[in-house]
Amino acid sequence: MHPESDYLPLSGLQHLRFCSRQCAFIHIEQLWVENFLTAAGRVLHEKVHSGIAESRNAVKTERNLNIASRTLGLAGQTDAVEFYSDGTVIPVEYKHGKPKGDTSDEVQLCAQAICLEEMLGCKITEAALYYFKIRKRLAIRITDELRKETADLADQFHHLVKDGRTPVADFSKKCESCSFLDSCFPDSAGRKKSVDIYIKRRIRSDAIPDDDL
């Protein structure tokens, strides 16, 4: 159990799942750089969080709820939570883009479910992700495996912040979509890159005539 003074932002799980260096920039160095993707996501969430509660048939939807988990040591806000007349509770997270190739969205959603379970004394077995780019809602099962991954990631998050050191860069294709690309320099500072290789590549690049670029 974590004391409230140790709570970290729930959104950090997604940052850490994407890249530990990006997570450290945001949650240790307190940096933030925006690009088109993050700006679009921010505008989307501002619209979602500005919505009001609504009731339709047997479902009441609450938005922008403050949630926290002593087990995970995380706190944050929901996009939407659906409360059904039979007692079912389903958190819904809205995303600007499309489904990712990893579980970064799922662990963030699972953490929300765990927070709600602790606060409401309920059991949540299903949640949902809505992707605006494909205009599709996907049901997400809150499995034991996803819960373990979420809990392990929360522990890693706390250890990263407590350690206070930003990991070295590790260049990969996903770096191209990161808003920190121009600040991180993953292509030249990555741990898999040697200084000799980088210098040789720069020399070859500089040797190409401008007309050929």
Side-chain angles (χ1 to χ4, degrees), residues 194-209:
S194 72
V195 174
D196 182 56
I197 292 175
Y198 173 67
I199 292 175
K200 289 180 179 178
R201 187 174 61 202
R202 291 303 304 171
I203 291 175
R204 289 197 301 268
S205 176
D206 293 342
I208 299 175

Side-chain angles (χ1 to χ4, degrees), residues 2 29 51-52 72 93 104 110 115 122 154 166-167 171 174-175 208:
H2 294 268
E29 300 188 27
I52 60 175
L72 300 177
E93 179 74 9
S104 55
C110 182
C115 289
C122 64
T166 299
F171 181 76
K174 65 184 179 182
C175 294
I208 299 175

Side-chain angles (χ1 to χ4, degrees), residues 137-162:
R137 171 170 166 152
L138 303 180
I140 304 298
R141 300 295 298 174
I142 307 299
T143 63
D144 291 340
E145 292 77 13
L146 183 57
R147 289 175 184 273
K148 183 179 186 306
E149 181 181 3
T150 302
D152 289 345
L153 204 61
D155 285 340
Q156 294 173 33
F157 187 21
H158 281 277
H159 286 306
L160 176 71
V161 172
K162 185 176 181 180

Side-chain angles (χ1 to χ4, degrees), residues 47-65 79-85 92 94 137:
K47 290 182 178 179
V48 170
H49 283 253
S50 65
I52 60 175
E54 58 182 284
S55 295
R56 292 185 180 181
N57 298 324
V59 184
K60 181 177 182 180
T61 302
E62 295 283 355
R63 305 182 188 280
N64 201 25
L65 296 179
D79 281 348
V81 182
E82 297 174 346
F83 295 89
Y84 291 75
S85 58
V92 182
Y94 292 85
R137 171 170 166 152

Side-chain angles (χ1 to χ4, degrees), residues 34 38-51 64 79:
E34 197 159 71
T38 59
R42 175 178 53 78
V43 171
L44 167 63
H45 279 87
E46 287 175 353
K47 290 182 178 179
V48 170
H49 283 253
S50 65
N64 201 25
D79 281 348

